Amino acid sequence: MALRAGAREHGTGPMTSFGIGVIGCGNISNQYLKNLSAFPDVEVLICADLDAGRAEAQAAAYGIPSWGSPQDALGHPDVQLIVNLTVPAAHAEVTGAAIAAGKHVWSEKPLTLDIATGRALLEAAKAGNVRVGCAPDTVLGAGVQSARRLIDSGAIGTPLTALTLLQGPGPQSWHPDPEFLFAPGAGPLFDLGPYYLSVLATLFGPANRVAAVGRKPRESRVIGAGPRAGTLFDVAVPTYVAALAEYEAGQAASLLFSWDSPLSRAGFVEITGTEATLAVPDPNRFGGDLRVRHAGDDDWTVIPSQGAEAGRGSGVVDMVRAIRAGTPHRADGEMALHVLEMMTAIERSAVSAAFEPVLTRFAVPASLDAGWDPYVAAN
Ligand SMILES: NC(=O)c1ccc[n+]([C@@H]2O[C@H](COP(=O)([O-])OP(=O)(O)OC[C@H]3O[C@@H](n4cnc5c(N)ncnc54)[C@H](O)[C@@H]3O)[C@@H](O)[C@H]2O)c1
């Protein structure tokens, strides 16, 4: 482990904030490091990556006191929680190593690539008395939480159905290293499905069966941005997935995930109840207005969302506060495992052409109060 120049030594005095180690210092680490550095309940103590240069650069950019290898983060005496921002194929290895080191873990999505590995990780965490939380924490943002509170208030009646839409040309146009987004564990279903499926999990609870069709029209794509622009790479997973889901509480959903359209349309989540349709803000964002439409209305009624629009890392703060309070955290590993099972079942159905069961269950977390704010210390 190396200390950043000018950094103070840790472990020498009482710490009020929860010690965090970030493993994986790529693209998304910018958002996490910016936010986690601004949330007073937590303190990032070390940046780690297989690529030491990336860890050092991110520590310098965000004023993190030290940097090093994944082992350095796992062995850091003041790190209580590992934030796993590695690529999906490395999630299980890094989360498993963190649990084995006695650390709580927040993982980027998906939790793992398969259910058996995800289940084993959650069991290991339970046995080790540490917690696992998993992205997306956009479900804790003002937009989705305001939608949850509105539905709970009965404003749209009994929720019956959902319609979601995500389409565009694909992330090879902007991501400098997009190969992993077209490898097993990604594609539009696994990369963006967690946002849409987690919103429906938050609003409807667990699903019990799914069906789907999938397509892979192009076997390769070309990187469109960054130093490797022009590089051809293979596509391993379907890039068009249309799915149906049935929920235990009776709701039905139609979902489209496509990276095969030149037309970008995203963030479309409509919930129709017995009294009205609610347009939920983009599930890949933390804020946004709600829109409600009753039968006979000429237009939407816009309802501003209420609450902090903090951003990625909010789930880490909710988890840290829940650990300290001894209460359940909201973006929990069990919900992530259910979302993962839905995605693997959707993938299977696209091959089997039959409905596939979804067997995992989770406790629907309590909604957040509109006054919840990760920028203000909890105590
Ligand atoms: N980029 C985005 O906009 C975005 C948004 C939301 C979520 N995510 C999720 O965040 C995760 C990371 O995405 P990214 O875009 O930052 O990827 P990236 O490729 O830019 O960065 C991943 C980093 O992890 C490191 N790494 C890989 N395996 C490792 C291992 N075993 N141990 C330690 N470090 C390892 C790599 O060296 C790299 O620096 C993915 O799960 C992705 O789904 C990304």
Side-chain angles (χ1 to χ4, degrees), residues 26-28 49-50 54 85-86 91 108-109 175 195 312:
N27 203 297
I28 201 62
D49 200 292
L50 288 179
R54 285 190 175 193
L85 306 181
T86 61
H91 285 177
E108 250 307 329
K109 45 79 190 165
H175 199 295
Y195 297 104
R312 290 191 165 86

Side-chain angles (χ1 to χ4, degrees), residues 36-99:
L36 292 174
S37 299
F39 296 158
D41 290 351
V42 297
E43 183 176 6
V44 182
L45 300 175
I46 181 167
C47 284
D49 200 292
L50 288 179
D51 180 336
R54 285 190 175 193
E56 183 177 8
Q58 290 300 69
Y62 293 94
I64 309 305
S66 62
W67 57 273
S69 67
Q71 280 312 321
D72 290 331
L74 297 174
H76 193 301
D78 294 332
V79 166
Q80 295 161 278
L81 186 150
I82 293 291
V83 172
N84 177 1
L85 306 181
T86 61
V87 292
H91 285 177
E93 176 202 329
V94 171
T95 295
I99 292 168

